[in-house]
Amino acid sequence: MRIFVAGATGAIGRQLVPLLVEQGHQVTGTSRSGHGVALVNSLGAEGVLADALDAERLHEAVGAAAPDVIVHQLTALGELDFAAHGRVRREGTRNLVDAARAAGVTRMLAQSIAWAYEAGGEPADETTPLDVDAPAPRSGTIGSVRALEEAVTELDDHVILRYGLLYGPGTWYSADEQVARQLRAGELTADAAVSSFVHVEDAALAALAALDWPAGAVNVVDDEPAAARDWLPALAEALGEPAPPVATDDTRAGWQRGATNALARNKLGWTPRYPTWRTGFTSLS
Ligand SMILES: NC(=O)c1ccc[n+]([C@@H]2O[C@H](COP(=O)([O-])OP(=O)(O)OC[C@H]3O[C@@H](n4cnc5c(N)ncnc54)[C@H](OP(=O)(O)O)[C@@H]3O)[C@@H](O)[C@H]2O)c1
């Protein structure tokens, strides 16, 4: 197939492109920089310069690639600039869906998140509504996630990959990166907030598998949603950082509930290489 990867140089894109190439697909991948384009070329794909916020250029790039499928792995979290990230989700996705339509592309896979669900006592499944009544600042995240998902859903043939927290190479959850620095600075507490993780390699493998999945949203998370008081000390140990303080109460926001991968695992046949962060974190050291 001809596949257009928007965001080919990101934490997931860099892992996904070689997998697609290995499978014999003809891959075009975007970056906003010459350096990024060279990286995409080195991965065996054709790198093209495109900024998702430049609708005209994006239309040209998608039109020239004439893909069978677009894989949307655009985020803008490298600089921890959440406003830019929101803009890429809203405007970038809008532009990409419009470019897809203009080029006659009907299938798109898109990166979303598995922690945008409303409050509840159990890990959320894909039928759980998004947390649309969340107060600020969470409302900003939910609004941009909703805009992204609604835009992608305009294409009948869409798969929304709701990823858990990414860990592994190129993510915040790896040696000397964001979370390691926060642990070192004593900024994190091991509390009752529940999260779901996914190794970045498994995130890329899920995108590869999703080329054949039916339309809809799918949680791409490991088997074990867990409270920070369980996973954060394990992460600190794996990264060689100081153990965090542990909260003694059960306080968590209602939405901090994790997500279940039952759909991906039991119905779609996705089997993560790292089924739990317990063993996955040990790969970080
Ligand atoms: N689910 C999660 O937990 C999750 C998901 C995503 C990211 N993250 C975290 O965020 C951090 C940064 O992620 P990342 O390394 O993937 O980098 P990133 O800075 O978020 O960029 C991701 C991709 O989007 C592209 N991009 C960004 N803005 C763009 C725009 N306006 N137009 C076109 N392309 C654009 C980038 O391409 P160029 O920069 O080459 O143009 C890159 O290919 C990582 O540490 C990761 O852990 C977490």
Side-chain angles (χ1 to χ4, degrees):
M1 275 195 288
R2 283 198 299 274
I3 301 179
F4 186 93
V5 181
T9 59
I12 296 177
R14 280 197 301 276
Q15 305 251 357
L16 174 61
V17 167
L19 295 174
L20 295 170
V21 170
E22 255 171 54
Q23 297 282 312
H25 297 298
Q26 191 181 322
V27 182
T28 302
T30 70
S31 173
R32 290 162 300 168
S33 70
H35 171 75
V37 167
L39 170 66
V40 177
N41 289 334
S42 75
L43 299 174
E46 185 188 348
V48 293
L49 269 180
D51 186 326
L53 302 179
D54 178 346
E56 197 177 326
R57 174 68 201 120
L58 195 61
H59 278 238
E60 275 169 22
V62 172
D68 302 297
V69 184
I70 295 176
V71 183
H72 172 353
Q73 294 288 358
L74 298 166
T75 58
L77 290 165
E79 308 295 323
L80 289 174
D81 180 345
F82 292 96
H85 184 46
R87 204 170 160 215
V88 163
R89 276 194 182 134
R90 289 174 183 276
E91 289 176 43
T93 306
R94 177 75 267 151
N95 291 339
L96 194 60
V97 169
D98 290 345
R101 287 179 137 168
V105 181
T106 55
R107 184 158 178 80
M108 185 179 289
L109 318 182
Q111 175 180 165
S112 185
I113 56 172
W115 62 93
Y117 292 113
E118 67 179 24
E122 299 293 323
D125 69 17
E126 295 80 354
T127 66
T128 305
L130 297 184
D131 195 7
V132 292
D133 296 325
R138 180 166 160 79
S139 54
T141 300
I142 303 301
S144 64
V145 165
R146 193 177 173 191
L148 177 152
E149 294 198 356
E150 285 180 357
V152 172
T153 304
E154 290 172 21
L155 301 173
D156 287 339
D157 201 2
H158 64 270
V159 180
I160 293 166
L161 299 161
R162 291 180 175 158
Y163 289 117
L165 291 172
L166 295 178
Y167 69 96
T171 74
W172 287 330
Y173 295 78
S174 57
D176 286 328
E177 291 301 330
Q178 170 77 358
V179 178
R181 290 197 294 269
Q182 287 177 302
L183 280 163
R184 212 171 304 156
E187 290 171 5
L188 301 177
T189 300
D191 61 15
V194 176
S195 296
S196 282
F197 283 90
V198 63
H199 192 284
V200 66
E201 212 177 293
D202 282 325
L205 285 163
L208 177 70
L211 291 172
D212 299 318
W213 288 354
V218 184
N219 291 336
V220 179
V221 295
D222 76 9
D223 295 350
E224 199 180 349
R229 65 175 159 229
D230 295 325
W231 65 259
L232 193 55
L235 180 71
E237 193 180 340
L239 295 176
E241 300 295 345
V246 179
T248 49
D249 62 35
D250 281 338
T251 308
R252 68 169 175 93
W255 61 267
Q256 292 171 325
R257 59 190 289 189
T260 168
N261 64 11
L263 172 61
R265 239 189 188 292
N266 304 340
K267 296 222 169 110
L268 300 171
W270 175 68
T271 307
R273 285 187 184 165
Y274 299 88
T276 160
W277 52 269
R278 280 184 200 280
T279 46
F281 284 172
T282 60
S283 74
L284 300 176
S285 43

